[in-house]
Amino acid sequence: MSDSFWIIKFIDSNLTKHTNLPDLPACFQLSVLPWTPCIYLWLASPFYILYLKRNNRGYIMMSILNRIKTVLGLILWIVCWTDLFSSFHEMSQNQSKPPIYFITPLIVGMTMLLATFLIQYERLKGVQSSGVLFIFWTISVLCAIVPFRSKIVFLSNGVEDKLRFTTFYIYFGLTLIQLILSCFNEKPPLFSSVVTDPNACPEITAGFLSKMTFWWFTSMAIKGYKSPLENKDLWSLNKQDSSELVVPNLLNEWEVEKSKLLYFSKKADPGAEPNHMSVSPEEEKEEEEEEVLLSKRREVRQPSFLRALLRAFGPYFLIGSAFKLLQDLITFVNPQLLRLLIDFTKQPNAPLWWGYSLAFLMFGTSLLQTLILHQHFQYCFVTGMRLRSGIIGAIYRKALAITNEAKRSSTVGEVVNLMSVDAQRFMDLTTFLNMLWSAPLQIILALFFLWQNLGPSVLAGVALMVLLIPFNAFIAMKTRTYQVEQMKHKDDRIKLMNEILNGIKVLKLYAWEVSFKEKILQIRQKELTVLRKTAYLSALSTMAWTSAPFMVALTTFAVYVTVDEENVLDAEKAFVSLSLFNILRFPLNMLPQVISSIVQASVSLKRIQDFLSHDELNPESVDRRNNASGNGADVVNGTFSWAKQDQATLDNINVMVPQGSLLAVVGHVGCGKTSLVSALLGEMEKQEGQISIRGSVAYVPQQAWIQNATLRDNILFGRPYVEQRYRCVLEACALTPDLEVLPGGDQTEIGEKGINLSGGQRQRVSLARALYSEADVYLLDDPLSAVDAHVAKHIFDKVIGPEGALKGKTRILVTHGISFLPQVDNILVMVDGRVSEMGSYQDLLKQNGAFAEFLRNYSLEDIIEDDEISIMSNDLENPKKMSRRRRCSERKHPESPTEKKEPKLEKLIQAETAETGRVKFKVYWDYAKAVGPFLSLFICFLYGCQSAASIGANFWLSEWTNDAQHNRTQDQVSMRVGVYAALGISQGVLVMFSSFTLALGKIQAARKLHQTLLDNKFHTPQSFFDTTPIGRIINRFSKDIYVIDEVLPSTILMFLGTFFASLSTMIVIICSTPIFALVIGPLALIYFFVQRFYVATSRQLKRLESVSRSPIYSHFSETITGTSVIRAYGRNAAFVLMSDMKVDENQKSYYPGIVSNRWLGVRIELIGNCIVLFAALLAVIGKDKLSPGLVGLSVSYALQVTMSLNWMVRMTSDLESNIVAVERVKEYSETQTEAPWIVTDKQPPPDWPPKGNVEFADYSVRYREGLDLVLRNISLKVEGGEKIGIVGRTGAGKSSMTLCLFRLLEAADGEIVIDEVKISEIGLHDLRSKLTIIPQEPVLFSGTLRMNLDPFEKYSDEEVWKALELSHLKRFVSNQTSKLDLECSEGGENLSVGQRQLVCLARALLRKTRILVLDEATAAVDLETDDLIQSTIRTQFEDCTVFTIAHRLNTIMDYTRVLVLDKGQIAEFDTPTNLMAQKGIFYGMAKDAGLIV
C-alpha cells in the first residue's frame, strides 16, 4: 500500500455517506480514532497534575478497585506494545508496513502508561473519583466502537491479521471495563472531614458522574418529598464555604488594598515643603487653588473593595467562566445539525441511518450542553454564596470597631440593609456576571452563521437589534434612578417603622398611633408612585424583548425575499435562521439586565466600601498597660469630643483614681458625666492628652444593655459558670428574690432589649454582669438610678461601697444619690464638660465651692441622719443579714431545689414558625383577591391570546417556506410577508397589554397588603410586642413587603410566559407529528414527579433559609446597640464568632437550595432533550409524509423547549416560595387586635373626666393568657385632686397598675371607673387621650423636637414654649440654632437621658389632663433637676389626680396617700404619717432610705 493510496482512502464519501452500510476507511480507523483520546489525555494531564499538587486532600489506602484499575492499565500497555513488536517482527520478515502501524501502538501504549500513573497519583492525593480519566475512557470507548463494528461487519471476508484482530478485541474489552470501573468511588482519604463529621455533605465523596448530574443530592430530594425537611436534616457546610475560611480571606485582601492606598498616598504626598523663594503672588494663588483641588481629589480616594473581592473570589469564579465558554461554543452545533436534518428530509433517497445519527447527535450535544451549563451555574452560585458570607462578616467586624461619629452617619437600619439587600445584590450578580463577555461572544457567533445562511440581508435584522439596545439602555437607566429613589423611600419607611415598633408602648400610652400611621402611609404612597413608574417601564421593556426576535426575523426575511428575485426562502434557510435568532434572543435580553444588575451592584459596592472605610476607634487611645503611677485610672490634660470636627465635649480633664479607690462623679444633667466614662473606655475622639487604665475593665452603662438570651447567660457574658461565685453575685445585686418571681428562674429567656424585665431588674442584671466579670477597674454609669431606694442602698452596701464585694477594686461611679457621697473616697464635680472640683467629701465641704452649695440645698440633716442610722441600724439589720447569709449557704448545696423543679421553662420568645407542606391554595386566592379577581382572569386571557398569535405566525412561516418546493413564490411574497407581520405585531401589542394590566394589579395588591398589615400592627395589643422580637416584625415590613412589591409580580410574569411557551411547543409538535402525543404521556409523568420532588424540597429549604436569616440581623442590631459594652468587656472575638455561626447556619440551608436548582435543571433538561430527540426521530421516520417546513418548525420549537420547561419548574417553585411572603404578611395582618380606638355610641363627653375620681373595684389583671395574675383583687377609691404615691419592691406590680389605667393590660376581673365612666366600655383613644403619663423610659422619635412634643400640631408655638419653660428645657432649646425644629436623632440619642426625661415632662405639661401618672420619671436626673420637676408637678398639676411610682421616697412624703403593693396585692394604703406610725412595710422602706432618725 503506497502512501498516496492512504491519503485517497482516508475519507471516502462513497464508503461513508451514500450507502446503507456505512464504514470509515481503514487508515482513518488506524490514525485519527485511536489518537483522539491520547491527544486529550496528554493535553489535560500537565494541568491536572499541577492542580493535584496544589490541592492535596490526604492519602487513600490501596483498595481492590484501585489494584484492578492499575493492573488493567498495565495489561492495556502490554496489549498495545504487542502490536508494536509484531510490526517490528514483520519488518524483520521483510513485509514492509506503513509507518502508521508503528506510530499508533507506540502512542497508545505511552498513553496507557500515563493513565496508570494518574490512577496511582490520584490515590496519593486523595481523589476519590477522577473526571479526567473518566472522560479519557469514554472517548477511548467511543472511538473504538467504529473499528469494532467494521471488523464484525467484514468478518464474512475472513480475518487476514489474526493477531491484531485479537489484540483489538482485548483492547476494546479492557477499555470498556476501565470505563465501568471509573464510575465507582474510592474510599474517602484518611483523616478527612467525611470520616469525622456525622452529617457531612455527600458532595465531598461523590463520584465524577454523580457530581456532573448532581446525583448526590437525590437523597435529600427524596427525604424532603417524604416529610418536610428540618434543620437536623441539613448537611454541614463544606469547609471551604464556611465563614472561618471565607471572611479572613476577604479581610486579608481588603487590608492589602488599604495598605496599598496608604503607600500610594504617602508617595503622592511626601510632605516636602515647596520652595517659596521667588513666587509671584498670582502664581502662589494658582498654586493654592491647585492644592485645594488636589486635596479634594485626595480625600475622595478610598481603597477599592472591588479589587479585594476579585482577588479573594476571582480564581474560583474563573473555573465557572471556562465552563461557560465551552457551553457557548456547543450551543451553535445544534442549528447546524438542524440544517442537515432539513436537508435530509428533502432528499428522497438519503439513507435512514444518517437521519437517525443526526437525531442522536442532536440529543448528545444538548445533553453535553446541559451538563456543562449547570457546572458553570454551580461555580457561580457558590462564588455568590461565599461573597455574601464574606461581605456580612466584614461588615459585622467593622460595625464592632467604628467610631461614634461613623455610627451616627449610618443608622442601625441602614447597616442591616447593607447586610441584607446589598450583600444579596452581589450574590445575584455573580450568576449573571459571565454574561458580560459571553453575550457579545454569542451574538458575534450567531451573526457569523446567519451571514453564511442569508447573506447581507441579515444586516437589516442586526440594525433593528442595535436600535433596540439604546431603547433598552434608556429603560435600564430610568429604572435605575427610580430604584435608587425607591431604596431611599424604603430606607425611610423601615427606619420610621423600626422606631415606631421600638416605641410602640409610648405611642399607645399617648394615643399617637394615628399621626405616625399617616407618616408611614405618606412614605408608602411615594414608594408606590415610584413603583408604578418602574412597572410601566418594565412593561415596555418586556414588550421590546418578547417581540425583538420576531421583528428581527420579520425584517430579515422581508428584506431577503424582496432584495433579489432569485432569493427563495426555503425551510432550511428560514428555520436554521429562526433557531439562530432564538439563540440571539437570550444574550440580547440578558445584556441590559446584566448591565442594570452591575449598576445596582456598583451602588451597593459604593455603600459597602464607604461603610468599610469609616474611621475605627483607636484601640491605643487608652493605655491599658500597667501604668507607672500605680493609679487605677489616669486622665492627663484630656480633651475629648464625640466626633473629630465637633467642639470638645470634655475640656482639659485631669483625673487620677488611685488603685482600689472609689470615685464618685456628680454634676447636673448634661454636664458630661457619661462622656467621661465613655472617654475612659476609649469611645470618644481623643483630641489631646492621655488616658491610662490599669488592667481589665467592667462597664455598666446608664441604660442597661441586655441580650436576647437567658438571664444566666446575660450575667456570665461568656465567662465559665462557677456556682458559688454566681450565687453570691445574685445575692449582692439583690436578684435572688426576682429569680423566684421569674417563670424559669435564671434560665428565663430575656426578650430583646430586656423587654420582660423591669427597668430596675435590667440595671441589676447589667451590674451583676460587671460584678461577675472580676475586672480590675469598674466604670459604673449611674447604676442606682433605676432601682428603688432600699435596693439602691442594698447594692451600694453589698457591691459598690467601702464594704461591698468590689472593695479593693478601682471603681468610678456616676451618681445622683447624695446619701452615698460621704462613703466614697473621692468626689469629682463636673460642670459643663470641665472638672470643677475634686477631693474627698470633707475637703469639698471645706472648700465651700459649687459642691458645698449644691449640698446645702439638699439639707445637711439628710446626711447626718444617714451616719447615725448606720450606727443605729447595725443591730436592727443583723437578723436580716443573718438570715440572708444562712439562705446563701443553704443555697450552696449542690442540688439546689429551685433548679430541680423547673424542667419546663416558659420561653418568652417563641421560635419563628416556618410553615410546612404545600402553600395552601387560599394564599394564592388572597393574592388574586388583592389584585382583583376579574383582573387576574383577564391577565391570563391576554397571555393565551399572545401565545396563539405567536404559534400562528410560525405556522404561517412554515407554509411560506413550503412555497419554495412548489415554485410558486414570487406572486405571493407580499401577501406572505404582510400576514406574517400582522400576526407578529399583534403578539407584541398583546404582550404590552398584559404587562400593563399586570402592573396595575401588582400595585393594587401591594397597597392593600401593606395597608392591612400596618392597620393591624397599630391595633395589636402590647403583649404581642413583648413576645415578638422586633426584627421579626420588621422582617415582614421590609423583606416580605419588598417581595410582594417587586419580586412576586416578576415571578408571576415569568411563570405565565414560560407556561404558555411550553404549552405552545407541545401543541406545535403534536400538530406536525401527531404520534408525538404518545411520548408526551411518559415524559409529562417524569416531569411531574421531578417537579413535585423538587418543589417540596426546595420550598422547605427556602423557608428554613428565611427563618435562619432573621437571627443574623437581630443579632447584628443587638450587637450594634451594645458595642460599647462588648468592647469594654473585650468580647469582640466571641461576638464575631457568634455572628459567623449564624451566617453559616443560614448558608447551610441556602447551599442545598442552590444545588436543588441544579439537580432539577439537569433532570428537566434531560426531559427537554428527549423531546428534541423524539421530535427529530419522528421527523426522520415520517419524512415522506412531512414537508420540510413542518420538520423545521417542530424541531426548532423542540430545541427551545428545554429552556422554558426548566424555567417553568423554577418559576413554579419561586412562585411558591415567594407567595410565602403573602402568607407571612397575612399571618401578621390577622393577629388578634385590641379594643377599638373609638366606640361611637359610648363616647365620653368632651370635658371628661371633670373631677378625676378613680376607682378600682375588685380589680385583677394578668400580662398574657395563661400567666399568673400580676394584680389580685385590688379595690380602692381615689378622689379627684389627690396625690397618690405607689411604692413596693421591684416586681410588686407598680408599673402594671398604671398600665391598667391605660388599658395596655385588659382586666381579668373587676372594673376601673373614672368619673362614673367604666373605662372598659369606651374606645381606647378616648381613654388614653384623657390621661397623661411620664413613662419610665423616655422615648423620643427621630424628627423635630416640636413633632416629639405635639405630633398632631394641636398646640400653638407659644404653648409649646411655655411647656418647655416649665420643664426647664427652654434655655437648652433656645440655645440651639434650629430652636423647636431641633432634629432629634434615632431614639433621641443626641440628648442626654435626663434631657429626654424633661422632654417627656414637657409633653405632659402640654396635654395637661385631669389624671397624671408618673412612672419613676425622675430616675435619670440629678437631685436639683429632680426638685425642679417635682415643684413643677406640684404647681402645674395642683388640681389633678397624680399617681407616682416612686423610688425616692422623699418625693412622695408630702403626698395625700401612699399605696404599698406587695406581690400584686394592696399591703398598706394610708397617709404617709399614718403609715409611719404603723411601722409596717413602708416604715421599713423609709428607714432603708434614711428618712427616719
Side-chain angles (χ1 to χ4, degrees), residues 636-797:
V636 183
N637 299 335
T639 300
F640 306 95
S641 64
W642 281 110
K644 280 189 176 140
Q645 58 278 10
D646 285 12
Q647 67 221 52
T649 318
L650 299 175
D651 202 13
N652 191 16
I653 302 278
N654 284 293
V655 182
M656 283 175 193
V657 189
Q659 178 79 31
S661 70
L662 166 56
L663 168 74
V665 181
V666 296
H668 295 304
V669 170
C671 66
K673 302 184 293 289
T674 303
S675 304
L676 176 65
V677 176
S678 299
L680 284 167
L681 284 172
E683 301 272 321
M684 293 183 76
E685 291 287 345
K686 182 171 71 176
Q687 296 184 348
E688 51 188 81
Q690 63 249 65
I691 315 178
S692 55
I693 279 193
R694 186 168 181 175
S696 58
V697 172
Y699 168 53
V700 179
Q702 190 168 4
Q703 287 193 303
W705 175 74
I706 305 287
Q707 277 180 284
N708 182 358
T710 61
L711 186 76
R712 177 184 291 183
D713 291 341
N714 264 302
I715 294 176
L716 298 183
F717 207 49
R719 295 215 163 45
Y721 174 69
V722 182
E723 169 89 21
Q724 186 169 350
R725 175 163 134 218
Y726 178 69
R727 291 279 160 218
C728 290
V729 166
L730 290 182
E731 192 61 51
C733 295
L735 278 167
T736 324
D738 296 293
L739 290 190
E740 290 158 15
V741 184
L742 289 171
D746 65 351
Q747 291 298 327
T748 308
E749 191 197 357
I750 311 295
E752 274 183 280
K753 303 204 177 78
I755 195 103
N756 50 339
L757 295 180
S758 71
Q761 286 168 325
R762 255 173 272 176
Q763 197 62 62
R764 295 200 307 261
V765 170
S766 178
L767 194 61
R769 176 193 297 154
L771 183 50
Y772 192 82
S773 72
E774 296 202 324
D776 304 320
V777 178
Y778 285 79
L779 302 174
L780 312 169
D781 190 354
D782 204 3
L784 302 175
S785 62
V787 294
D788 306 340
H790 60 285
V791 181
K793 185 172 187 339
H794 171 92
I795 288 177
F796 188 81
D797 294 343

Side-chain angles (χ1 to χ4, degrees), residues 17-29:
K17 199 172 163 188
H18 302 297
T19 134
N20 283 334
L21 263 184
D23 191 23
L24 287 168
C27 182
F28 189 82
Q29 288 190 22

Side-chain angles (χ1 to χ4, degrees), residues 1233-1244:
T1233 51
E1234 56 187 1
W1237 284 345
I1238 292 173
V1239 180
T1240 32
D1241 50 346
K1242 289 274 171 115
Q1243 266 189 304

Side-chain angles (χ1 to χ4, degrees), residues 1078-1117:
L1078 293 178
V1079 185
I1080 274 191
L1083 284 181
L1085 248 171
I1086 300 174
Y1087 179 80
F1088 177 74
F1089 265 109
V1090 169
Q1091 193 238 23
R1092 285 279 20 113
F1093 270 90
Y1094 165 76
V1095 169
T1097 306
S1098 127
R1099 178 185 55 224
Q1100 205 49 28
L1101 285 170
K1102 279 241 175 71
R1103 280 178 176 159
L1104 286 174
E1105 196 267 333
S1106 67
V1107 168
S1108 65
R1109 191 184 313 120
S1110 356
I1112 300 179
Y1113 306 141
S1114 47
H1115 174 240
F1116 179 66
S1117 45

Side-chain angles (χ1 to χ4, degrees), residues 840-906:
S840 71
Y841 184 72
Q842 299 302 333
D843 295 350
L844 292 182
L845 278 181
K846 285 190 197 117
Q847 278 179 23
N848 219 344
F851 177 69
E853 182 62 32
F854 170 71
L855 277 185
R856 260 186 224 115
N857 299 347
Y858 293 96
S859 59
L860 292 177
E861 300 105 67
D862 255 15
I863 295 137
I864 301 158
E865 293 167 293
D866 238 40
D867 289 350
E868 287 172 18
I869 203 170
S870 56
I871 302 161
M872 276 179 53
S873 66
N874 271 350
D875 41 51
L876 281 172
E877 280 195 358
N878 265 351
K880 240 196 217 157
K881 274 188 187 157
M882 276 301 298
S883 62
R884 275 262 165 85
R885 273 195 207 118
R886 210 167 44 243
R887 283 221 312 271
C888 200
S889 58
E890 279 163 18
R891 283 270 161 81
K892 279 170 205 161
H893 295 315
E895 290 196 349
S896 43
T898 43
E899 281 171 29
K900 262 292 180 52
K901 65 170 194 289
E902 291 160 359
K904 62 167 212 345
L905 300 183
E906 170 156 336

